């Protein structure tokens, strides 16, 4: 399976600032996903990022708040903009390999907003 | 009704016990059924996946899918303290544009 590296692993940020999270994969993948996981909760899909096209956002998530880049088949970034304490969460990237709808995850970024 | 239902637990068992984790779902179109294990402060790790119905065994772990009942299970034999984690079920359909749906996760504690 693909090896997914996510950076930073954790950060503590001030209200009103922005943080960019990086996701690097060791092989070329078409589909990359960004999730949010709040404490004790399951995964909530933020957006799907395909190389060469605009990210597709889920209901409740907008590009101005969570801009995503996908410059090539091995890399993506998620920015959490104008942060508030409600953005404190774990952010995870995942990829689909091959033709199966099976996702593999990075270790996550633990974000705390003060 | 949620598409996937999973009891969040927590489930506490003694070491060596057989653990049964379950999910029910409502969409008969699901074809891939996955179990992820998530340790505290880590990302979900794919444990097993099954395509369509049937059983799959990997060491101490057995995954079962009953599509007629829309019910999937993960069994852990001879449970160990290192199995203490949150287990998430997930399911998807191999058709473009269809999201993977995750269960809420069941927290498992295996006591030494």
């Amino acid at each position: 399976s693909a090896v997914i590296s996510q950076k930073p692993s954790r950060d503590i940020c001030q209200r009103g600032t922005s943080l960019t999270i990086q996701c690097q994969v060791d092989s070329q993948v078409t589909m990359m996903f960004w999730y949010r996981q709040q404490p004790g909760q399951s995964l909530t899909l933020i957006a799907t990022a395909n190389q060469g096209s605009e990210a597709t956002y889920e209901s409740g998530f907008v590009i101005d708040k969570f801009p995503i880049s996908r410059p090539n088949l091995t890399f993506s970034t998620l920015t959490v903009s104008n942060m508030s304490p409600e953005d404190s969460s774990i952010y995870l990237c995942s990829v689909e390999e091959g033709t199966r709808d099976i996702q593999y995850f990075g270790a996550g970024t633990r974000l705390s907003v003060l | 009704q949620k598409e996937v239902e999973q009891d969040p637990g927590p489930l506490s068992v003694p070491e060596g016990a057989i653990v049964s984790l379950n999910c029910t779902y409502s969409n008969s179109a699901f074809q891939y059924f996955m179990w992820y294990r998530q340790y505290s402060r880590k990302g979900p790790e794919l444990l097993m996946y099954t395509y369509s119905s049937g059983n799959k065994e990997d060491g101490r772990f057995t995954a079962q899918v009953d599509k007629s009942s829309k019910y999937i299970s993960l069994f852990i034999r001879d449970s160990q303290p290192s199995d203490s984690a949150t287990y998430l079920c997930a399911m998807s359909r191999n058709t473009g544009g269809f999201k993977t749906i995750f269960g809420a996760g069941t927290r498992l504690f295996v006591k030494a």
Side-chain angles (χ1 to χ4, degrees):
Chain A
S1 62
V3 176
I4 303 161
S5 302
Q6 200 172 326
K7 288 194 285 189
S9 59
R10 64 180 304 168
D11 209 339
I12 301 172
C13 300
Q14 295 298 318
R15 180 195 299 259
T17 62
S18 297
L19 176 71
T20 295
I21 302 168
Q22 299 179 4
C23 183
Q24 178 77 52
V25 190
D26 69 343
S27 59
Q28 294 184 339
V29 294
T30 302
M31 305 280 284
M32 294 182 77
F33 306 87
W34 288 97
Y35 288 86
R36 183 171 72 185
Q37 186 178 32
Q38 296 183 311
Q41 304 294 314
S42 190
L43 308 175
T44 301
L45 181 64
I46 297 171
T48 301
N50 291 340
Q51 193 269 336
S53 61
E54 295 290 325
T56 302
Y57 289 83
E58 297 300 305
S59 176
F61 297 96
V62 295
I63 188 171
D64 290 346
K65 175 67 175 177
F66 298 100
I68 288 171
S69 77
R70 182 78 202 275
N72 57 51
L73 290 172
T74 63
F75 187 78
S76 179
T77 66
L78 169 76
T79 299
V80 186
S81 303
N82 188 24
M83 288 184 286
S84 67
E86 291 71 35
D87 295 319
S88 298
S89 191
I90 298 171
Y91 292 84
L92 294 152
C93 73
S94 73
V95 304
E96 273 187 2
E97 279 196 318
T99 57
R100 300 173 304 182
D101 277 359
I102 296 170
Q103 295 183 26
Y104 298 87
F105 286 85
T109 295
R110 182 176 294 269
L111 172 62
S112 298
V113 184
L114 304 178
Chain B
Q1 181 187 9
K2 288 183 179 178
E3 282 193 277
V4 176
E5 299 274 3
Q6 183 176 14
D7 186 339
L11 178 62
S12 184
V13 301
E15 182 175 359
I18 297 174
V19 176
S20 173
L21 304 169
N22 311 293
C23 289
T24 59
Y25 63 95
S26 57
N27 191 336
S28 59
F30 288 130
Q31 294 177 306
Y32 285 96
F33 302 91
M34 289 77 77
W35 286 97
Y36 289 86
R37 179 175 62 194
Q38 187 174 23
Y39 291 114
S40 180
R41 301 176 184 272
K42 300 289 187 182
E45 168 196 10
L46 180 66
L47 201 55
M48 298 182 71
Y49 75 90
T50 308
Y51 178 73
S52 193
S53 281
N55 294 357
K56 189 172 185 178
E57 187 173 321
D58 184 0
R60 297 185 294 111
F61 299 88
T62 299
Q64 285 187 353
V65 174
D66 182 348
K67 292 191 79 175
S68 62
S69 302
K70 298 189 179 68
Y71 189 87
I72 69 171
S73 300
L74 177 71
F75 297 96
I76 307 174
R77 292 183 297 280
D78 187 24
S79 56
Q80 303 294 310
S82 58
D83 295 326
S84 298
T86 297
Y87 291 81
L88 298 103
C89 65
M91 36 204 84
S92 66
R93 173 183 172 187
N94 192 13
T95 301
F98 200 83
K99 294 191 306 255
T100 297
I101 308 296
F102 290 86
T106 300
R107 294 190 69 190
L108 172 66
F109 295 95
V110 181
K111 299 171 292 186

